[in-house]
Amino acid sequence: MKNIIYKGLFLSLLSFAISCEPFLEETNENPNDPTEVSSAAILPTIQLALAYNYNANFSRVSCMWVQQIEGLDRQWAGFNSYTTIASDRSTDWSNFYVDVLQNSDIMIEQSSIAGYNHYVGAGQILKAFSLMVMTDYWNDIPYTEAFSGIENLQPAYDSQASIYTEIHSLLASGRNNLASSDGGLALSGDLIYFGDTSAWIKAAHAIDAKAYLHEGLLSTDNYTAALASIENAFDSSADDFNFAFGTGAATASPWYQFNRDRGDIGFSPTMNAVMVDLNDPRKDIYDGDNESTFLIEYDTHEFFTIDQTVDLATYTELMFAKAECLIATGGTQADISEAYFAGIESSFSSLGLDTEYTTYIAQSEVSPASITLENVITQKWLALYANPETYSDWRRTGLPSLTPVSGSAIPTRFLYPQTELDLNTNTPTVTLFEKVDWDTN
């Protein structure tokens, strides 16, 4: 946990030279190295760090394992065949703890003291989403003791159940804070909803729905709770919780940068085969002009664009989640079908394929007489291309049915980073093929 303690975007040491002469009191204070940064300045850095890291290795590795993409060369060929070691995930772990969770805590704490409720609420929602990502990939994680500084260099690991309880609590509190007065400071610096608190509240419900869906196998009540959250979440794709990258070299999306600089990844033959069988027009957008690797077409790839919008929670996703929850709770075929087709239509519309939608769903393979869980998860897998949520879906349902690239099993989690294994004796010993606690499939 040393990375958590000693790194921090806004925590710098400042030397003070104190003199009895008043005019020397501020001589050694560096105005370019502040001890406190405004919440308006912290918020966008949290959002950027969350979107960047979620769209980087979390997207590449997990979506490789669910066979949407394929590692073809060097280190990524190894990851594709499940060859990975603990140190491979050290940066991902520290980036989330420091750049997202720790900075969220800083913003929440200083905004709470000042009474800036809307910043508190936004921080709680970002924190909840980040905790969910981490526990979904690592199961038990340090939390209650994680930010104690030098007072505790070996924090205990909190159970996944307790982390999920905290996620739901943070989201509820975040909604309440956003629904109250701003305390004299309106939400600015917001690169996701640009200060629209009603949109943030909808996003909190959407994230709650995702969380309850992940917990679905633990209790049918969680599917019911997810349905209730969905009803209070997004009305259309216009409400999506996402982050748009820029068109400059320094603001380019993570996937664009990777394809430009490394290019060791291409379109998966597994997804390609399914999309060919279904005459799916989205394939031409996903596959990078059918070149061997995305490096060849990095600057013209239609999906992994320089200014790609990274989806954290979307209307498309929620419609498929609604269909799954209705199946799990005995919903009618009419309601299941309505949600299922809304998810497909939303996916096509988001890619500019509105006119192709009718032809696509006219196929019996897409529109069977009775919509099954396999139909729902397969279409969600096709719609949420390169989105880490598909890895949670596959672990929870076993769908789509995938053949391991190597050996007899596909990894079901990330390894704890080597930094944790070396420095924290509380770190569990696990393998790639052990399951997180909600994965009872």
Side-chain angles (χ1 to χ4, degrees):
M1 296 300 294
K2 279 188 177 179
N3 284 338
I4 295 174
I5 297 159
Y6 293 117
K7 287 179 64 182
L9 188 56
F10 300 105
L11 297 179
S12 300
L13 294 176
L14 190 63
S15 297
F16 291 93
I18 305 300
S19 168
C20 60
E21 295 295 333
F23 70 90
L24 293 178
E25 285 181 356
E26 298 181 0
T27 298
N28 289 331
E29 293 182 9
N30 182 355
N32 297 315
D33 193 16
T35 58
E36 182 175 316
V37 178
S38 72
S39 294
I42 300 176
L43 177 59
T45 66
I46 298 169
Q47 294 172 333
L48 171 61
L50 172 56
Y52 194 96
N53 287 288
Y54 191 65
N55 195 234
N57 287 337
F58 286 91
S59 171
R60 289 191 287 268
V61 176
S62 57
C63 295
M64 185 177 295
W65 290 346
V66 296
Q67 298 176 23
Q68 294 180 318
I69 55 175
E70 181 182 31
L72 297 168
D73 198 10
R74 292 174 292 193
Q75 184 183 35
W76 289 91
F79 292 160
N80 193 72
S81 60
Y82 320 138
T83 302
T84 183
I85 58 178
S87 60
D88 291 330
R89 301 281 73 82
S90 293
T91 299
D92 303 320
W93 173 277
S94 63
N95 284 350
F96 255 86
Y97 264 111
V98 177
D99 297 339
V100 183
L101 289 176
Q102 183 166 270
N103 285 330
S104 294
D105 271 354
I106 293 169
M107 186 177 75
I108 291 168
E109 181 179 4
Q110 70 182 38
S111 298
S112 296
I113 294 170
Y116 301 148
N117 298 314
H118 292 178
Y119 281 100
V120 175
Q124 290 171 320
I125 292 168
L126 292 166
K127 182 178 179 180
F129 186 93
S130 304
L131 285 172
M132 183 169 64
V133 173
M134 294 203 69
T135 192
D136 287 346
Y137 281 83
W138 282 292
N139 202 42
D140 298 351
I141 57 173
Y143 177 63
T144 54
E145 298 179 2
F147 303 101
S148 301
I150 60 173
E151 295 177 6
N152 187 353
L153 297 177
Q154 297 195 0
Y157 276 63
D158 296 80
S159 69
Q160 184 175 77
S162 68
I163 295 296
Y164 262 90
T165 297
E166 177 69 359
I167 289 167
H168 293 302
S169 176
L170 283 166
L171 292 168
S173 182
R175 290 191 294 269
N176 288 336
N177 279 305
L178 286 158
S180 64
S181 70
D182 60 20
L185 184 64
L187 195 62
S188 63
D190 175 12
L191 299 180
I192 294 179
Y193 287 127
F194 306 99
D196 186 343
T197 55
S198 63
W200 275 99
I201 292 171
K202 287 182 179 181
H205 284 295
I207 298 166
D208 243 349
K210 288 165 67 85
Y212 283 123
L213 181 63
H214 293 179
E215 299 173 286
L217 294 177
L218 302 177
S219 171
T220 305
D221 291 343
N222 288 320
Y223 291 116
T224 303
L227 286 169
S229 294
I230 290 169
E231 292 306 308
N232 289 299
F234 303 148
D235 299 315
S236 71
S237 294
D239 296 326
D240 287 353
F241 185 55
N242 54 33
F243 184 97
F245 282 87
T247 57
T251 60
S253 68
W255 260 106
Y256 178 89
Q257 291 187 44
F258 179 88
N259 292 337
R260 179 195 63 201
D261 300 339
R262 292 289 301 269
D264 299 339
I265 290 175
F267 193 54
S268 169
T270 302
M271 178 168 266
N272 185 75
V274 172
M275 299 189 92
V276 168
D277 287 345
L278 292 175
N279 302 299
D280 195 322
R282 292 171 293 188
K283 186 183 90 71
D284 291 337
I285 296 174
Y286 293 169
D287 68 6
D289 294 333
N290 208 29
E291 295 287 355
S292 57
T293 73
F294 295 145
L295 170 65
I296 298 172
E297 297 292 325
Y298 82 88
D299 207 26
T300 56
H301 199 291
E302 295 175 76
F303 190 84
F304 297 126
T305 60
I306 190 171
D307 58 350
Q308 181 183 0
T309 295
V310 174
D311 291 328
L312 302 173
T314 66
Y315 175 78
T316 299
E317 174 188 350
L318 290 186
M319 290 302 97
F320 288 118
K322 182 177 182 179
E324 179 182 348
C325 292
L326 287 168
I327 291 172
T329 56
T332 66
Q333 266 295 310
D335 289 341
I336 294 166
S337 179
E338 181 182 18
Y340 169 77
F341 287 115
I344 299 174
E345 184 174 18
S346 176
S347 169
F348 271 62
S349 181
S350 70
L351 296 172
L353 298 172
D354 300 83
T355 57
E356 288 84 352
Y357 168 72
T358 302
T359 301
Y360 182 73
I361 66 167
Q363 302 175 99
S364 59
E365 296 91 340
V366 179
S367 302
S370 179
I371 305 297
T372 67
L373 181 62
E374 183 173 7
N375 296 135
V376 172
I377 300 300
T378 298
Q379 286 298 327
K380 190 178 180 185
W381 177 68
L382 294 171
L384 270 62
Y385 179 52
N387 189 314
E389 187 67 18
T390 57
Y391 186 49
S392 293
D393 292 335
W394 173 79
R395 287 181 290 169
R396 193 181 63 256
T397 67
L399 298 169
S401 180
L402 301 173
T403 300
V405 172
S406 176
S408 59
I410 297 171
T412 46
R413 58 164 301 141
F414 278 178
L415 296 174
Y416 287 111
Q418 193 62 49
T419 48
E420 283 295 287
L421 294 170
D422 291 342
L423 301 173
N424 189 348
T425 58
N426 295 312
T427 307
T429 301
V430 300
T431 71
L432 281 174
F433 305 99
E434 293 180 33
K435 297 182 177 183
V436 299
D437 289 345
W438 55 247
D439 182 8
T440 62
N441 179 35

